[in-house]
Structures are given as structure tokens and as C-alpha cells.
Amino acid sequence: MHFFGIRGYEPRWLDSLAAAEAAHGDRLRSLTGRTLTRTWLVWDLDTDSWLADCPVVLDFDGHRAEINHEQFDKLSITWNSVDPTRPSAWTANEFNLEWREGAHPGLAALHGQTVRSAELRLYAADGAAAVSFELTGGRVTVYNALDRNGIELG
């Protein structure tokens, strides 16, 4: 399976906070003390914009969390299945895409910060599960923005 042509990426959709916590809670919390070293988004070259339907990749000292939302309640977290540093052979012909490191200025500003805590939470705006990281320099939450990813800083 190739989700938007992303080689190696096979989302595993969960539809509740409890299911996400059971599957990924311990691993997320194990990121405490690690540094957010890099972040990647899939960039649509035709529109010069973030393709928010594709996973948000956060690298914590070589431990990559690939976070993605779909529909109104689905969350997928995968680990180290995507290598955004390798050239991709995008198979979705209707898109002209590339991985962009540090493409979101707010995320890029958090590079080098240490994880104080990582948690799954209900995102107040829509009630879907979101992934949130408290860093020494701020907080980033990747949430369901109505069938795609949203990023909240603060």
C-alpha cells in the first residue's frame, strides 16, 4: 500500500483516545528527555503549500513519530516507517510532492528543544484524539483538522 505514494508508510487507523493510548501511550511517553531534532511535512509543489493529508513527521534523536489524521475521528501513529531524507518516488500521479524539512516555521523554531512530556489527549475543538508534546521551549499538538492534520503551537 502506498498512502499518497509515501514509500513504506502504512497508516494504522485508530478511532478512540483509549485505543490510541493502549497502542502508543507508553512509546510516546518514552520520548521524554529526547530532543526534537527535525520535522518534515509533505509539500505540494504545484500550490506551494503543505499537504495536510499526509503525515507530520517528528524526529526525536532518531526516533521518528509519523502522525496522521483522517475523517473526523481517525488517528494513525507509526514509528520509523518513513525516511523523508531519501528521495521519494511519488506514485500518486495527480500530485507533485516532496518532503520538506522545517517547512512549518513554528515547528522549526522548536528544533533543539527537549521533550518534557508527551501525551494523547482529546482535542477540545473536535473531540478527536490528538498528540501533544510539551517541550522546553513550548508545546506542539498535532490534531484532527476535519479530515486532515492541524498543528497548534503554544
Side-chain angles (χ1 to χ4, degrees):
M1 175 182 189
H2 292 285
F3 187 87
F4 277 96
I6 301 171
R7 217 181 271 166
Y9 181 62
E10 294 185 27
R12 293 169 187 95
W13 301 109
L14 303 169
D15 61 4
S16 72
L17 181 63
E21 177 63 37
H24 301 287
D26 289 341
R27 190 153 186 192
L28 283 167
R29 286 185 289 279
S30 77
L31 297 173
T32 300
R34 293 193 173 278
T35 301
L36 177 64
T37 52
R38 301 168 90 176
T39 56
W40 290 274
L41 302 174
V42 172
W43 207 255
D44 184 329
L45 299 173
D46 293 331
T47 63
D48 192 29
S49 63
W50 171 33
L51 183 60
D53 295 316
C54 292
V56 174
V57 178
L58 307 173
D59 189 312
F60 301 93
D61 294 326
H63 295 267
R64 284 186 311 277
E66 302 138 0
I67 303 165
N68 206 0
H69 291 87
E70 116 173 327
Q71 298 176 6
F72 299 106
D73 63 347
K74 304 276 190 261
L75 166 65
S76 174
I77 303 171
T78 54
W79 300 91
N80 302 310
S81 68
V82 174
D83 184 355
T85 64
R86 281 187 9 195
S88 291
W90 300 102
T91 59
N93 294 331
E94 65 270 22
F95 296 101
N96 186 18
L97 309 173
E98 73 177 11
W99 284 106
R100 285 235 177 129
E101 182 182 351
H104 188 289
L107 278 179
L110 295 173
H111 292 180
Q113 302 295 316
T114 302
V115 178
R116 288 185 175 166
S117 67
E119 64 182 339
L120 290 151
R121 58 164 67 175
L122 285 180
Y123 190 70
D126 60 17
V131 184
S132 190
F133 301 92
E134 181 187 356
L135 304 163
T136 51
R139 178 177 288 279
V140 59
T141 301
V142 182
Y143 66 94
N144 188 318
L146 302 177
D147 198 29
R148 62 183 177 184
N149 296 301
I151 296 173
E152 179 179 87
L153 301 167

